[in-house]
C-alpha cells in the first residue's frame, strides 16, 4: 500500500512538472504568434495539472490557457480560464497572479468591445483589495482600470486612475516602511 501511494505521488509530481513545461511552451507559442498552438498546449497543461492535484499548478495552467485563448482570438474561453485561474489564485492568496488572471478577463471583454464589463470587473477587484487595505494590489488594479480607460480613448479617466495609483502606491510603501522598521522615504 505504501509503495502504491509513493507511485501515485511520483506520477502526480511528473504530471505537475510536465504541466509546468507545457505552460512555458504555450508562452513560447504566444511569443511566436501561434495562438492556436498555444491553446492546444495550454489545454494539455490544464489536464495534467488537474490530474496532479496541485491547485497552484492548475491555476497557472488555467492562466496560460487564458492567455493562449486571447492570442488565439477565443475571448470567451479566455474569460472562462481567467475566471477559474483568478478564483484559484485568490484561494491560494497569490494576489499578484490573481491580478494577472483578472487582466486576462478584462482583456477578453475589451477584445469583445464590452468596455462596461471590463471596467466592472477591474473595479470590483480593485474595491475588494481596497476593503482589505491591500494597497499594493489596489494600486495594481487602478493601473488596470487606467488601461481600460486608454482602450476606450478616455485619456482623462486614465490619468485620474494613474494618479490615484501613484498615491496609493506611495501609501503602500509608507506603510511597509513603518511596519518593517524602515523609515518612509519623503
Amino acid at each position: 500500500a505504501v509503495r502504491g501511494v509513493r507511485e501515485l505521488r511520483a506520477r502526480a509530481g511528473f504530471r505537475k512538472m510536465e504541466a509546468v513545461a507545457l505552460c512555458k511552451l504555450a508562452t513560447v507559442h504566444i511569443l511566436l504568434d501561434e495562438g492556436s498552438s498555444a491553446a492546444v498546449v495550454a489545454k494539455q497543461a490544464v489536464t495534467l495539472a488537474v490530474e496532479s492535484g496541485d491547485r497552484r499548478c492548475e491555476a497557472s495552467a488555467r492562466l496560460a490557457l487564458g492567455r493562449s485563448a486571447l492570442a488565439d482570438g477565443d475571448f470567451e474561453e479566455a474569460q472562462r480560464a481567467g475566471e477559474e485561474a483568478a478564483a484559484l489564485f485568490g484561494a491560494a492568496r497569490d494576489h499578484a497572479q490573481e491580478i494577472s488572471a483578472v487582466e486576462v478577463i478584462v482583456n477578453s471583454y475589451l477584445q469583445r468591445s464590452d468596455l462596461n464589463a471590463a471596467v466592472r470587473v477591474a473595479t470590483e477587484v480593485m474595491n475588494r483589495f481596497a476593503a482589505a487595505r491591500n494597497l499594493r494590489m489596489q494600486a495594481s488594479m487602478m493601473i488596470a482600470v487606467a488601461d481600460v480607460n486608454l482602450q476606450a480613448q478616455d485619456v482623462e479617466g486614465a490619468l485620474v486612475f494613474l494618479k490615484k495609483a501613484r498615491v496609493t502606491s506611495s501609501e503602500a510603501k509608507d506603510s511597509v516602511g513603518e511596519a518593517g522598521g524602515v523609515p518612509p522615504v519623503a
Side-chain angles (χ1 to χ4, degrees):
V2 172
R3 183 174 165 213
V5 169
R6 285 184 185 153
E7 287 176 12
L8 284 174
R9 284 187 181 160
R11 275 189 248 140
F14 287 128
R15 285 185 181 104
K16 178 181 173 183
M17 285 190 303
E18 196 173 350
V20 169
L22 288 173
C23 288
K24 294 190 183 306
L25 180 59
T27 301
V28 169
H29 282 295
I30 291 169
L31 293 172
L32 294 173
D33 234 2
E34 299 170 349
S36 60
S37 297
V40 169
V41 170
K43 286 177 184 175
Q44 292 171 349
V46 168
T47 300
L48 289 169
V50 169
E51 289 173 2
S52 79
D54 187 310
R55 303 294 276 174
R56 226 176 248 272
C57 181
E58 180 184 348
S60 295
R62 291 191 185 283
L63 178 58
L65 176 58
R67 289 175 173 158
S68 299
L70 277 176
D72 192 31
D74 187 349
F75 307 125
E76 289 177 7
E77 176 73 19
Q79 178 188 341
R80 274 191 301 277
E83 288 170 348
E84 291 167 348
L88 289 166
F89 284 126
R93 301 186 58 78
D94 186 341
H95 299 306
Q97 288 295 82
E98 180 184 3
I99 286 177
S100 295
V102 170
E103 288 173 346
V104 168
I105 299 165
V106 168
N107 283 325
S108 74
Y109 282 121
L110 289 175
Q111 292 300 319
R112 290 180 280 174
S113 299
D114 192 346
L115 296 174
N116 291 331
V119 169
R120 179 184 45 77
V121 168
T123 304
E124 285 173 2
V125 175
M126 179 184 66
N127 290 338
R128 185 169 46 84
F129 285 128
R133 294 295 297 155
N134 189 333
L135 298 175
R136 198 178 93 211
M137 294 299 117
Q138 181 185 0
S140 294
M141 286 312 302
M142 286 178 180
I143 292 169
V145 173
D147 282 342
V148 172
N149 284 325
L150 287 174
Q151 290 281 336
Q153 299 180 352
D154 179 6
V155 176
E156 303 267 328
L159 286 173
V160 167
F161 278 100
L162 289 172
K163 288 176 184 175
K164 286 181 180 182
R166 185 171 180 214
V167 169
T168 304
S169 180
S170 293
E171 290 173 7
K173 287 178 191 173
D174 290 349
S175 67
V176 168
E178 292 164 10
V182 178
V185 178

